[in-house]
């Protein structure tokens, strides 16, 4: 190959690759940007059943119901709207009523959020930031 | 030792860093040997001063001197000694001091082992190191002073976050920082080359050992952090695509690209300007990581305390160094002689492809990490980019790279023969295919993708071995000749093979645990048994236990094969740290071959049972064993004679841990 061809091959390869990467990134961002929701967001823009999202808020007081030993149901609220969450498994150490929580999972057909992961705040200084900020906006948050 | 003494030592070190960053560089400009030689003693003294300062803080922790604000906030007199020592860097201020300690440690290493560098290059490198130290020392002194006193002194401290009270804190941050900060040396060499306007193959040979050492430590630091999170957080995840994890992955990807491009520069005198740019970018990514973690822009276990002033300050340092170095690059790069071009099918061609993929993958991770911050800053909307984004972008980019890794080392420099290489790799490919088929047929629940993924890992391992086999002439010469050739292979060839095999092992671990993991959730009372993957786990007893600064409920399980053979006990517990009233889950983990059984306790149910979650994690240990193999590969490569001839490396490996303890 001549020098010019070599350079062209290099540039073409690089452009092709970067193009592919850009395409993937744009596609993924389009798909995945709305990943975190508060109950209020869902009231405005409902999410299709089966789409994987993260749902955050406070665990509503008095909403924790245990069915059998491992299945539990509770409500996540942001002060105005509420979503019912179903979960099978071990709740995190700091899962409590009126504490911040982030759950991950999908809606089933009947407006119940089936979570497979539940994350609570790590310690008294830590709370998922998305939750803290959203709650502050709504004025539900209390600085301690 | 008084804490004020430590404070004073740090102030002195700052003043000395000012000298180190100006005098040698000025000396190099005016070709004045005396001024240039100031760099060395300055760097060595600086290290001693910061080490003293660090020791003063550590001794305050050991003595539980609660009149020091930092100790009061993060320690407790009942804490075991190890956690008192590691607690020194288990907080924002202390960890920044550790950062600076490691930075000046590398400066001192350059001063000691750089004796055979050209005088002006060494002066400039030490000068740039001095400038970085200066910036971070003033950051500590102005916004994050660990030496502040508290009056009156409280009787008892507030204790360290229980999650950090673990051996992981003794290993993970120092290793990670050795990696992060180690890239500063490559950065300083790059800036020095730009200042001098001289760049040749020797430069690459000088930079490579430093980059390799930093890369090894970073590999270890990331792997250790991942294992720590795996066993400590109680649900056995090993990677979360958390922004803080990404912050450590970014310089690792950049550093890996740098290692490979420096190779091309050293051997073929090509990719010169690109290599300099990569050296700058890699350390910039380290700085960015420090900013993301330390500024409190992100909230995670790693963000100890948030203070906007600190964020702005680190952002300032970030802009100064990244902006300044890129501006210098833009201004001076044109004066450097560019390297030659080469055939696409060749070792250097393969390395360019490696660089292309790695840098693009770095860019996607960077975008995924910063995009939410950017969107929030511009529009105020909060979005979160999680694992799905990275699986969609990073995955498809990096997987093809893994497929072609075995070809690279087998291709010849200048002009490679892809067909000959393919023939040599035939057996590795065939074996990998067989393993993939076996995995698909034999393992329950293995999807096509899972089987292919495991085959890919095997392909990487066998491909790396093929390289050794081919290079020692196996099958072409008499066994004795093969053996002596094998022994005579340069250590760097072994290093490459080990590192690539390590990537393969890690790949197998990741794929198998993400696709084949199984779990059971059950409410159990003593005497009950759960069966998982051919093992029986019988819940034996639940007993209270009191540790030095915690109380816990210990559940003892008896593990046996379904066939009846007993395998002993597994203990899992729920722990409550009394000082902070904070509960943690201490998972019970049993390693069986390469796989692990992971037992986590939940709440007690009203009828006296306890919820137990049990995971079967097939071949999960390969994730970290692979990283260990990569580190060994790096070490072997560092011992290569070729890296040392005329290069600033010692005969014996530098005692790197010495400055940290």
């Amino acid at each position: 190959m001549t020098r010019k061809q070599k350079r062209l091959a290099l540039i073409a390869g690089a452009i092709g690759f970067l193009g592919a990467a850009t395409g993937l990134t744009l596609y993924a961002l389009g798909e995945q940007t709305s990943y975190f929701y508060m109950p209020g967001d869902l009231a405005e823009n409902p999410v299709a059943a089966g789409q994987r999202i993260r749902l955050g808020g406070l665990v509503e007081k008095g909403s924790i119901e245990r069915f059998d030993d491992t299945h539990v149901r509770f409500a996540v609220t942001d002060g105005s709207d509420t979503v019912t969450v179903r979960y099978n498994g071990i709740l995190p150490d700091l899962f409590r009523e009126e504490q911040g929580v982030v759950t991950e999972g999908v809606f089933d057909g009947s407006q119940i959020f089936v979570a497979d992961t539940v994350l609570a705040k790590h310690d008294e200084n830590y709370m998922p930031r998305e939750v803290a900020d959203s709650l502050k906006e709504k004025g539900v948050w209390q600085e301690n | 030792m008084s804490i004020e003494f430590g404070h004073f030592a740090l102030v002195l070190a700052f003043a000395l860093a000012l000298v180190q960053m100006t005098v040698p560089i000025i000396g190099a400009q005016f070709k004045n040997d005396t001024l240039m030689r100031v760099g060395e003693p300055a760097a060595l003294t600086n290290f001693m001063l910061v080490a003293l300062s660090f020791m003063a803080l550590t001794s305050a922790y050991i003595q539980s001197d609660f009149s020091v604000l930092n100790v009061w906030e993060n320690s407790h007199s009942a804490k075991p000694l190890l956690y008192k020592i590691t607690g020194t860097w288990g907080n924002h201020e202390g960890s920044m001091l550790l950062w600076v300690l490691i930075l000046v440690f590398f400066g001192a290493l350059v001063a000691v082992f750089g004796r055979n560098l050209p005088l002006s290059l060494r002066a400039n490198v030490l000068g740039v190191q001095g400038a970085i130290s200066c910036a971070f020392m003033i950051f500590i002194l102005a916004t994050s002073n660990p030496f502040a006193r508290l009056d009156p002194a409280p009787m008892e401290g507030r204790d360290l976050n229980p999650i950090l009270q673990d051996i992981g804190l003794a290993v993970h941050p120092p290793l990670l920082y050795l990696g992060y900060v180690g890239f500063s040396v490559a950065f300083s060499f790059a800036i020095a080359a730009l200042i001098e306007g001289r760049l040749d193959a020797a430069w690459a040979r000088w930079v490579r050992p430093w980059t390799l050492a930093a890369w090894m430590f970073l590999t270890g630091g990331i792997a250790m952090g991942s294992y720590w999170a795996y066993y400590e957080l109680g649900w056995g995840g090993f990677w979360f695509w958390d922004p803080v994890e990404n912050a450590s992955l970014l310089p690792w990807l950049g550093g890996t690209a740098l290692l490979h491009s420096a190779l091309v520069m050293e051997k073929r005198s090509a990719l010169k300007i690109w290599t300099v740019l990569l050296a700058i970018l890699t350390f910039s990514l380290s700085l960015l990581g420090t900013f993301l973690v330390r500024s409190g822009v992100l909230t995670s276990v790693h963000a100890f305390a948030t203070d906007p002033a600190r964020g702005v300050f680190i952002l300032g340092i970030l802009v100064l160094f990244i902006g300044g170095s890129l501006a210098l690059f833009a201004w001076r790069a044109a004066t450097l002689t560019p390297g030659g071009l080469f055939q696409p099918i060749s070792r250097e061609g393969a390395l360019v492809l490696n660089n292309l993929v790695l840098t693009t993958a770095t860019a996607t991770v960077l975008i995924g990490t910063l995009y939410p911050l950017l969107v929030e800053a511009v529009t105020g909307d909060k979005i979160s980019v999680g694992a799905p984004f990275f699986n969609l972008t990073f995955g498809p980019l990096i997987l093809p790279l893994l497929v072609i890794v075995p070809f690279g080392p087998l291709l010849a420099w200048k002009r490679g023969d892809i067909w000959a290489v393919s023939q040599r790799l035939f057996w590795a490919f065939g074996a990998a295919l067989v393993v993939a088929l076996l995995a698909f047929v034999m393992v329950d629940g293995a999807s096509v993708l899972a089987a292919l993924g495991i085959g890919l890992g095997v392909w990487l391992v066998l491909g790396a071995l093929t390289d050794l086999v081919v290079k020692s002439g196996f099958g072409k010469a008499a066994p004795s000749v093969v053996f002596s050739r094998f022994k005579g292979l340069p250590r760097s060839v072994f290093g490459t093979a080990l590192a690539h095999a390590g990537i393969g092992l890690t790949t197998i671990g990741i794929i198998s645990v993400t696709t084949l993991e199984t779990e059971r959730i059950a409410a159990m009372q003593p005497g009950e048994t759960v069966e998982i993957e051919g093992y029986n786990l019988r819940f034996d007893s639940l007993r209270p236990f009191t540790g030095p600064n915690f109380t816990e409920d210990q559940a003892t399980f008896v593990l046996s094969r379904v066939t009846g053979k007993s395998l002993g006990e597994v203990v899992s517990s729920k722990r409550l740290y009394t000082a902070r009233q904070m509960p943690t889950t201490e998972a019970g983990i049993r390693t069986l071959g390469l796989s692990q059984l992971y037992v986590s306790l939940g709440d007690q149910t009203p009828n006296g049972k306890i919820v137990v979650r049990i995971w079967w994690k097939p071949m999960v240990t390969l994730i970290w064993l692979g990283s260990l193999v990569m580190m060994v590969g790096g070490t072997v490569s560092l011992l290569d004679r070729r890296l040392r001839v005329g290069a600033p490396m010692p005969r014996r490996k530098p005692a790197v841990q010495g400055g940290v303890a």
Side-chain angles (χ1 to χ4, degrees):
Chain A
M1 277 201 239
T2 64
R3 203 178 162 78
K4 201 170 177 183
Q5 282 171 323
K6 283 182 205 168
R7 192 175 292 153
L8 267 178
L10 187 67
I11 293 172
I15 289 179
F17 205 79
L18 286 175
T22 316
L24 277 174
T25 307
L26 289 178
Y27 171 73
L29 280 178
E31 289 284 296
Q32 305 295 341
T33 44
S34 11
Y35 188 49
F36 177 82
Y37 292 85
M38 300 287 288
D41 305 331
L42 291 167
E44 290 165 28
N45 309 303
V47 172
Q51 189 191 333
R52 196 174 170 77
I53 61 159
R54 231 175 232 187
L55 168 74
L58 293 181
V59 179
E60 196 174 39
K61 192 171 185 176
S63 73
I64 305 176
E65 264 183 279
R66 290 177 193 275
F67 290 97
D68 56 31
D69 295 324
T70 62
H71 289 82
V72 63
R73 193 157 78 178
F74 55 90
V76 169
T77 176
D78 57 6
S80 45
D81 295 276
T82 305
V83 172
T84 307
V85 178
R86 212 171 67 201
Y87 175 64
N88 177 22
I90 294 183
L91 290 167
D93 296 321
L94 287 151
F95 181 89
R96 270 170 223 152
E97 284 180 355
E98 298 192 297
Q99 290 285 7
V101 70
V102 173
T103 65
E104 214 173 298
V106 295
F107 274 101
D108 66 2
S110 56
Q111 293 308 301
I112 288 182
F113 189 69
V114 184
D116 51 33
T117 309
V118 173
L119 306 166
K121 58 182 210 166
H122 254 303
D123 65 44
E124 61 268 40
N125 298 319
Y126 174 64
M127 159 139 195
R129 202 172 76 99
E130 302 144 324
V131 178
D133 286 350
S134 304
L135 291 175
K136 271 180 202 161
E137 263 169 36
K138 300 208 189 276
V140 193
W141 174 264
Q142 272 126 33
E143 296 283 349
N144 40 354
Chain B
M1 205 180 336
S2 143
I3 199 82
E4 278 73 27
F5 180 77
H7 194 172
F8 183 63
L10 191 65
V11 175
L12 269 187
F14 169 67
L16 196 60
L18 282 174
V19 174
Q20 190 189 331
M21 88 179 212
T22 44
V23 175
I25 295 185
I26 293 171
Q29 284 301 312
F30 295 103
K31 310 244 178 312
N32 180 327
D33 284 11
T34 320
L35 292 184
M36 283 196 265
R37 287 187 201 284
V38 168
E40 257 176 87
L44 290 171
T45 318
N46 230 334
F47 169 60
M48 284 189 286
L49 285 171
V50 179
L52 279 177
S53 161
F54 190 81
M55 270 149 49
L57 185 63
T58 310
S59 79
Y61 266 90
I62 294 175
Q63 293 162 4
S64 293
D65 180 355
F66 297 124
S67 72
V68 178
L69 178 66
N70 192 255
V71 179
W72 171 70
E73 279 176 340
N74 301 291
S75 198
H76 191 280
S77 56
K79 207 168 61 168
L81 179 65
L82 174 69
Y83 304 146
K84 282 184 183 164
I85 298 172
T86 58
T88 314
W89 57 82
N91 58 82
H92 169 80
E93 291 82 358
S95 81
M96 283 318 297
L97 193 59
L98 178 69
W99 205 98
V100 168
L101 176 66
I102 292 176
L103 183 66
V104 292
F105 172 63
F106 274 105
L109 282 184
V110 173
V112 172
F113 297 122
R115 295 253 152 84
N116 45 4
L117 288 177
L119 188 58
S120 61
L121 180 65
R122 187 176 56 195
N124 280 324
V125 169
L126 287 175
V128 178
Q129 286 280 323
I132 306 170
S133 325
C134 227
F136 278 91
M137 282 173 190
I138 199 167
F139 171 70
I140 293 182
L141 291 169
T143 71
S144 322
N145 183 5
F147 305 109
R149 286 277 191 185
L150 194 61
D151 188 36
M155 289 303 289
E156 191 51 89
R158 297 205 305 191
D159 206 0
L160 181 65
N161 183 340
I163 290 178
L164 300 179
Q165 295 192 27
D166 187 274
I167 183 75
L169 184 65
V171 188
H172 166 64
L175 273 182
L176 198 70
Y177 280 7
L178 280 167
Y180 265 9
V181 179
F183 286 126
S184 70
V185 181
F187 174 83
S188 298
F189 269 94
I191 300 298
L194 288 173
I195 293 175
E196 295 197 4
R198 210 177 59 201
L199 194 60
D200 47 24
W203 182 90
R205 202 163 64 233
W206 288 319
V207 168
R208 236 159 63 77
W210 298 104
T211 312
L212 195 54
W215 177 87
M216 266 167 53
F217 288 125
L218 192 56
T219 308
I222 295 175
M224 185 61 219
S226 151
Y227 189 60
W228 187 10
Y230 167 82
Y231 70 72
E232 183 66 36
L233 295 180
W235 53 282
F238 59 92
W239 191 261
F240 309 90
W241 289 111
D242 180 89
V244 173
E245 292 170 334
N246 295 346
S248 68
L249 184 64
L250 287 168
W252 188 86
L253 291 168
T256 312
L258 175 60
L259 273 181
H260 290 89
S261 80
L263 201 61
V264 177
M265 181 169 164
E266 185 187 334
K267 294 282 166 22
R268 302 281 298 125
S269 217
L271 295 187
K272 284 180 181 175
I273 295 172
W274 171 245
T275 305
V276 166
L277 181 63
L278 263 185
I280 293 175
L281 289 181
T282 301
F283 184 60
S284 301
L285 290 170
S286 292
L287 285 177
L288 181 75
T290 309
F291 166 70
L292 288 178
V293 179
R294 285 284 150 263
S295 63
V297 188
L298 307 165
T299 306
S300 79
V301 193
H302 297 80
F304 299 115
T306 56
D307 175 356
R310 288 175 184 161
V312 172
F313 204 111
I314 302 193
L315 192 62
I317 296 180
L318 199 71
V319 169
L320 188 73
F321 278 95
I322 301 182
S325 56
L326 288 179
L328 185 69
F329 177 80
W331 175 43
R332 300 285 289 185
T335 65
L336 301 170
T337 41
L341 282 162
F342 38 76
Q343 297 289 347
I345 306 290
S346 61
R347 178 91 63 90
E348 50 270 45
L351 289 166
V352 168
L353 195 60
N354 150 302
N355 265 247
L356 200 57
V357 178
L358 281 175
T359 41
T360 319
T362 313
T364 57
V365 176
L366 186 67
I367 289 169
T369 311
L370 294 185
Y371 186 71
L373 291 176
L374 210 72
V375 169
E376 188 179 338
V378 175
T379 65
D381 289 343
K382 282 177 197 61
I383 59 160
S384 84
V385 173
F389 170 83
F390 296 102
N391 293 343
L392 259 175
T393 53
F394 187 72
L397 288 175
I398 213 79
L399 284 178
L401 176 66
L402 294 182
V403 174
I404 60 165
V405 161
F407 288 91
L410 281 166
L411 282 167
W413 292 103
K414 292 187 182 175
R415 193 180 295 267
D417 183 345
I418 194 87
W419 286 116
V421 172
S422 305
Q423 280 165 2
R424 287 170 178 166
L425 282 168
F426 177 77
W427 289 108
F429 187 76
L433 212 59
V434 170
V435 171
L437 269 174
L438 282 178
F440 183 62
V441 177
M442 311 272 285
V443 181
D444 283 342
S447 64
V448 179
L449 279 178
L452 283 178
I454 289 171
L456 172 65
V458 175
W459 159 246
L460 279 161
V461 175
L462 294 180
L465 291 181
T466 306
D467 184 38
L468 294 179
V469 168
V470 168
K471 283 187 177 143
S472 51
F474 187 79
K476 284 184 183 163
S480 61
V481 178
V482 169
F483 184 68
S484 70
R485 268 201 213 164
F486 181 77
K487 272 204 316 196
L489 284 179
R491 296 226 176 101
S492 64
V493 171
F494 287 104
T496 307
L498 282 168
H500 287 176
I503 298 263
L505 293 177
T506 301
T507 308
I508 298 175
I510 293 174
I511 300 277
S512 96
V513 82
T514 44
T515 56
L516 300 172
E517 174 184 281
T518 52
E519 74 174 279
R520 296 269 182 290
I521 300 167
M524 299 174 83
Q525 57 191 21
E528 282 186 335
T529 300
V530 169
E531 191 198 324
I532 183 165
E533 299 288 327
Y535 294 95
N536 277 331
L537 194 69
R538 185 167 60 82
F539 182 19
D540 188 59
S541 63
L542 188 68
R543 276 190 302 259
F545 175 83
T546 309
N549 53 347
F550 60 83
T551 58
E552 66 180 8
D553 286 328
Q554 271 186 0
T556 308
F557 297 84
V558 177
L559 181 68
S560 61
R561 287 189 196 282
V562 176
T563 51
K565 187 173 174 254
S566 174
L567 294 167
E569 293 183 342
V570 179
V571 176
S572 177
S573 56
K574 265 210 140 9
R575 196 174 276 187
L576 183 74
Y577 281 84
T578 31
R580 291 199 177 199
Q581 285 295 307
M582 177 174 164
T584 63
T585 305
E586 303 293 314
I589 299 174
R590 167 58 66 87
T591 308
L592 298 155
L594 294 171
S595 310
Q596 286 188 329
L597 195 72
Y598 191 107
V599 184
S600 201
L601 294 187
D603 303 319
Q604 261 169 317
T605 59
N607 51 12
K609 293 183 173 185
I610 190 157
V611 179
V612 182
R613 197 162 176 177
I614 307 153
W615 284 268
W616 173 250
K617 307 219 170 247
M619 293 197 272
V620 68
T621 52
L622 280 182
I623 297 176
W624 307 292
L625 285 178
S627 324
L628 213 61
V629 173
M630 285 184 234
M631 285 182 79
V632 173
T635 315
V636 170
S637 198
L638 261 185
L639 297 173
D640 194 313
R641 274 191 74 246
R642 290 187 299 186
L643 276 182
R644 290 202 308 253
V645 175
M649 283 306 285
R651 241 163 240 297
R652 119 193 110 72
K653 204 174 150 280
V656 173
Q657 298 290 2
V660 182

